[in-house]
Amino acid sequence: MKVWAVANQKGGVGKTTTSIALAGLLADAGKRVVVVDLDPHGSMTSYFGHDPDALEHSCFDLFLHQGNVPQGLPKQLLHGTSHENIALLPSSTALATLERQSPGQSGLGLVIAKSLAQLWEDFDHAVIDSPPLLGVLMVNALAASQQLVIPVQTEFLAVKGLERMVTTLAMINRSRKQALPYTIVPTLFDRRTQASMSTLRVLRNTYPDHLWPAYIPVDTRLRDASRAGRTPSQFDANSRGVIAYRALLKHLLSHQPAAQVA
């Protein structure tokens, strides 16, 4: 299994859309994909038609065992989605209480890694949608992943969020055996605006070694796909956004660390 996390310490930059678009394209290609919603807001869970306020069981259940994960529990928590090749580990609002509960509990940072280990033979890819906040949930996402995708809206405040994310990643890398590779993805790009154009220039000048050279454009079809509860490529395979995400997926697959290439 290849495990990717999608994260940024700023909200509204396209994390959930990016997670679902990439998962959908992998699933279209016949890959078995599990998507993991670690955001207490539950945007990914809601996208696929499940109510994070009403779910009796969710990813939260994985954190209730002092850092251990009972055998078989991750599989019991899986939900179906609009795509036959995608399964969902859903979020619930209870995840928001983890930060208050976690002090004094050791081992909580590896819960998702341990959970995915139990699903290793059942899926080809895992895509983790992270919360926009440094805490036990983001630490879990980064600890479990082999590759990090950082969506960055092409506007000034999002660049400041990226700076915080890169600082966080440096801190996380000090506790990993090897540094986590990451790719910065410009999102919500509108070439008609000076803000998008200037932000893209800043990203290219500041992060040349980690920046995907293209961008995800503003595309209302992505929002329409969300409303329909279908992956963007299911909804409109030839939309501008999907074409861009297809190029991003090709880039990510070709730039995986050698040991992870199938």
Side-chain angles (χ1 to χ4, degrees):
M1 184 197 290
K2 298 176 180 69
V3 184
W4 297 348
V6 180
N8 193 327
Q9 284 176 246
K10 185 182 184 304
V13 299
K15 291 190 305 296
T16 299
T17 298
T18 297
S19 300
I20 294 172
L22 292 173
L25 289 166
L26 287 165
D28 292 345
K31 302 298 184 182
R32 302 164 300 166
V33 185
V34 57
V35 290
V36 184
D37 189 355
L38 288 186
D39 190 339
H41 291 111
S43 297
M44 175 184 277
T45 300
S46 298
Y47 190 113
F48 286 121
H50 303 287
D51 183 355
D53 293 321
L55 284 176
E56 187 174 351
H57 298 287
S58 70
C59 282
F60 180 68
D61 295 42
L62 300 170
F63 291 89
L64 300 179
H65 308 278
Q66 288 74 52
N68 298 309
V69 180
Q71 190 62 37
L73 180 59
K75 192 171 291 190
Q76 294 171 23
L77 297 175
L78 293 175
H79 284 59
T81 70
S82 59
H83 200 301
E84 63 180 2
N85 287 340
I86 300 177
L88 167 71
L89 269 174
S91 172
S92 69
T93 49
L95 281 173
T97 69
L98 271 183
E99 301 304 328
R100 295 197 301 272
Q101 298 177 17
S102 58
Q105 289 196 51
S106 61
L108 285 189
L110 296 176
V111 167
I112 295 302
K114 293 175 182 177
S115 300
L116 291 177
Q118 292 192 26
L119 300 173
W120 208 260
E121 300 302 322
D122 299 315
F123 295 96
D124 302 301
H125 287 262
V127 181
I128 305 171
D129 189 15
S130 308
L133 157 96
L134 177 58
V136 67
L137 292 168
M138 183 180 285
V139 167
N140 264 269
L142 299 182
S145 68
Q146 303 157 342
Q147 195 164 6
L148 174 63
V149 177
I150 308 177
V152 181
Q153 182 182 359
T154 45
E155 58 96 23
F156 176 71
L157 290 177
V159 173
K160 302 304 288 185
L162 173 61
E163 292 173 5
R164 291 193 296 273
M165 188 68 222
V166 171
T167 300
T168 294
L169 186 57
M171 179 182 70
I172 294 290
N173 279 340
R174 286 197 287 270
S175 63
R176 290 176 61 103
K177 292 179 181 175
Q178 59 186 127
L180 179 62
Y182 68 95
T183 300
I184 298 166
V185 178
T187 59
L188 298 164
F189 179 81
D190 185 347
R191 65 170 55 255
R192 298 169 299 179
T193 69
Q194 183 60 35
S196 275
M197 297 297 289
S198 61
T199 301
L200 189 60
R201 282 196 296 272
V202 169
L203 291 173
R204 286 173 172 168
N205 290 334
T206 311
Y207 302 98
D209 296 334
H210 294 280
L211 184 72
W212 177 48
Y215 52 80
I216 306 297
V218 170
D219 184 355
T220 58
R221 300 298 280 169
L222 296 173
R223 187 171 62 242
D224 294 341
S226 170
R227 192 176 299 117
R230 296 168 64 79
T231 69
S233 53
Q234 280 180 311
F235 186 79
D236 186 348
N238 296 310
S239 69
R240 290 184 305 137
V242 170
I243 290 170
Y245 275 117
R246 196 172 285 122
L248 172 61
L249 178 62
K250 183 177 180 181
H251 174 87
L252 293 173
L253 290 173
S254 65
H255 286 76
Q256 290 183 127
Q260 295 167 19
V261 176

